[in-house]
Amino acid sequence: MNFVKLVMFYGVITYVSAIEPFSALGAIGTAVIAGIYTVFTPIKCQFKECCTSKWISLNTTALQEDLRRRLYGQHLVTDVIIKHLKSHMTKDPSKALTLSFHGGTGTGKNYVSKIIAESIYKEGMRSKYVHLISATKEFPHKDMVPLYKDKLRNLVESSVNECPQSLFIFDEIDKMPAGILDTLKPYFDFYEQLGGTDYRKAMFIFLSNTAGEDISKHALNNWHSEFKREDIGLKEMEQIISTAAINSKTSGMYHSDIIYKHMITAYVPFLPMERKHIKECIKDLLVARNYFRREDIPEDKIRVIAQELNYYPADMEIFSVTGCKRVPEKVTYVMDEE
Ligand SMILES: *[C@@H]1O[C@H](CO)[C@@H](O)[C@H](O)[C@H]1NC(C)=O
């Protein structure tokens, strides 16, 4: 071994021992863990739902197409929903979006909530950031209201904490015991932060039959007038709904002060469905169940199925009592008869 090599060897030893061995290992360990995390989190989110734009973003085209193709007789619904969702999802919203859907059974309230969920969340209604809360199923006992309030507050807080763009759909809110919804009031407001969380990107949809009768009455008056159904405007309906909601004695939401404080972004009216709209639902179902191709559906079959449903007012039979809700069972009944 010559002298030069020996000096070099000694130099390396000195250099290595100058770094404290444990902190060096620690630093390397931290770097490796951080590296694994930054590499694998996006990979994980490739396959499993995360709160990222890959999984959550509004597809306006899809929403527009679905509403036009799958929803019948609700000309007021599409525009108002697209307008509010678009501005909520693309700008920094100043408060949570709160939409209040009103109308009778089978007019499409549930259906539209589902379409909304599908147009925003890749996982649709199965998304862990979409919560469907049925008032009659989840809040059945009036004497347990304090417990329900805690439960609901926890749900909203933990969800929005995990993902600001969470969606909460409250079904049959008119059957919810009074006071429960008041507990959510702070989350509907303009606060930038509340207990460290920003709730302004969250979305709430309330479904109810509140004002359903007034909407029907107005639609019937319009039917008797020289105006077309499509002439019914949003302003006049909003007026009818907010008046009915404030005067309602039974509604769990509407004798809370949420509506008085203008916390509802928009009221969305669902008009009662006429026989021609029912026929469209029947056609969709006959095709979906492979009974016919769309161009081959016999007109008399549609008429017979439509006739299985009840219509009001009794003397004129204009609007379906249950909308499109009972169409599936009637299709089964008529088609299996043969
Ligand atoms: C949006 O929806 C349309 C129609 O369903 C679809 O063709 C398009 O690929 C979607 N865009 C994105 C970004 O998912």
Side-chain angles (χ1 to χ4, degrees), residues 57 64 91 94 109 111 132 134 156 164-165 192 211 215 238 249 265 274 279 328-329:
S57 74
Q64 213 149 11
K91 296 180 191 130
S94 59
K109 302 184 299 286
Y111 201 44
L132 177 63
S134 159
V156 172
Q165 284 170 325
E192 275 177 32
I215 293 172
E238 278 180 331
K249 296 282 185 292
T265 312
E274 296 173 16
K279 287 182 172 177
E329 62 184 274

Side-chain angles (χ1 to χ4, degrees), residues 243-261:
T243 307
I246 289 168
N247 293 332
S248 165
K249 296 282 185 292
T250 56
S251 167
M253 168 177 196
Y254 297 103
H255 44 147
S256 74
D257 48 356
I258 284 167
I259 47 166
Y260 297 110
K261 288 203 163 173

Side-chain angles (χ1 to χ4, degrees), residues 181-235:
L181 216 65
D182 276 335
T183 197
L184 298 184
K185 215 166 53 186
Y187 310 131
F188 303 155
D189 222 324
F190 292 85
Y191 304 119
E192 275 177 32
Q193 293 237 321
L194 211 60
T197 305
D198 184 353
Y199 290 88
R200 293 174 303 171
K201 285 196 165 83
M203 293 164 273
F204 298 86
I205 299 177
F206 308 112
L207 316 183
S208 77
N209 206 347
T210 305
E213 249 174 65
D214 303 82
I215 293 172
S216 288
K217 216 181 283 168
H218 190 72
L220 190 60
N221 287 340
N222 188 78
W223 195 88
H224 284 300
S225 75
E226 79 253 46
F227 297 110
K228 291 203 294 282
R229 180 181 177 97
E230 289 71 25
D231 292 332
I232 298 175
L234 190 59
K235 276 265 156 53

Side-chain angles (χ1 to χ4, degrees), residues 1-127:
M1 183 181 277
N2 63 40
F3 180 71
V4 175
K5 271 194 183 155
L6 185 68
V7 168
M8 275 173 70
F9 179 66
Y10 183 74
V12 171
I13 298 274
T14 328
Y15 178 72
V16 169
S17 62
I19 308 171
E20 226 187 292
F22 290 113
S23 70
L25 275 182
I28 291 166
T30 310
V32 168
I33 288 168
I36 287 173
Y37 191 77
T38 42
V39 170
F40 282 98
T41 300
I43 291 177
K44 192 191 93 190
C45 292
Q46 289 294 315
F47 304 107
K48 216 164 153 285
E49 187 182 33
C50 289
C51 184
T52 57
S53 60
K54 175 180 161 57
W55 296 91
I56 306 172
S57 74
L58 176 67
N59 186 335
T60 315
T61 320
L63 179 61
Q64 213 149 11
E65 274 177 14
D66 275 355
L67 288 175
R68 205 188 50 224
R69 214 180 46 225
R70 291 160 62 187
L71 184 71
Y72 300 110
Q74 305 297 357
H75 68 281
L76 293 171
V77 172
T78 307
D79 288 353
V80 64
I81 283 180
I82 288 173
K83 183 183 119 198
H84 286 294
L85 277 180
K86 220 165 144 182
S87 82
H88 185 79
M89 299 282 301
T90 53
K91 296 180 191 130
D92 259 342
S94 59
K95 76 180 270 312
L97 181 69
T98 47
L99 298 175
S100 192
F101 290 6
H102 298 261
T105 311
T107 49
K109 302 184 299 286
N110 278 288
Y111 201 44
V112 170
S113 333
K114 206 170 136 228
I115 291 176
I116 290 175
E118 282 166 1
S119 71
I120 297 175
Y121 301 86
K122 215 169 204 172
E123 296 286 288
M125 292 299 288
R126 288 188 319 264
S127 165

